[in-house]
Amino acid sequence: VMRVKQYADFAFIASYTGLVLALAALASRKGGWRRATGTAAAICGGAVGAFDIFENRAILKLLDVPLRSTTPAMIQAIRAPATAKWILAGVTVVLLSASFIRRPKNS
C-alpha cells in the first residue's frame, strides 16, 4: 500500500510544482520587485519538487528493507531531503504571498 501511495505522490509533485511555477510566472509579470520574488519563488518551487522526488525515492528504497536491517543512513536519506523540502516550501509560500499582497493606494 505504501508503495502505491509513493507512486501516486509523484503525480502530486508534478501538480504542485506546476501550480507554483504558474503562480511565480504571474507574479513575475507584475514587474518591479515582484519580478524578483516571482523568479525566486519559481526557483524555490522547482527545488521543492526535486527534493520531494529525492525523498520519495529514498522511501521506496527503504520499503524493500526489513525493519531490523534499517540503518541510520537510510533514515537520514529520507530526513535530509524532507527537511530541505519543507524549508523551501515555506520560503516559496512567503515569496508568493509577498508578491500578491496589495498595498492600499493613498487617496
Side-chain angles (χ1 to χ4, degrees):
V1 172
M2 183 67 180
R3 188 173 305 281
V4 171
K5 290 183 179 192
Q6 288 305 120
Y7 286 128
D9 192 37
F10 285 109
F12 180 65
I13 293 167
S15 298
Y16 76 70
T17 302
L19 175 64
V20 166
L21 293 176
L23 290 173
L26 281 174
S28 292
R29 282 209 241 166
K30 293 185 178 196
W33 61 270
R34 290 183 170 136
R35 181 179 307 272
T37 57
T39 302
I43 292 167
C44 289
V48 169
F51 280 113
D52 205 356
I53 289 170
F54 295 148
E55 177 190 14
N56 282 0
R57 291 183 67 208
I59 291 170
L60 287 169
K61 287 180 185 176
L62 189 66
L63 291 176
D64 295 331
V65 177
L67 185 58
R68 72 179 115 213
S69 300
T70 304
T71 65
M74 291 174 174
I75 302 299
Q76 185 61 28
I78 297 169
R79 184 182 301 131
T83 301
K85 171 186 80 171
W86 286 109
I87 290 170
L88 285 167
V91 170
T92 303
V93 168
V94 168
L95 288 168
L96 288 174
S97 297
S99 296
F100 289 107
I101 290 176
R102 290 186 183 181
R103 293 184 183 167
K105 294 182 180 180
N106 294 334
S107 298

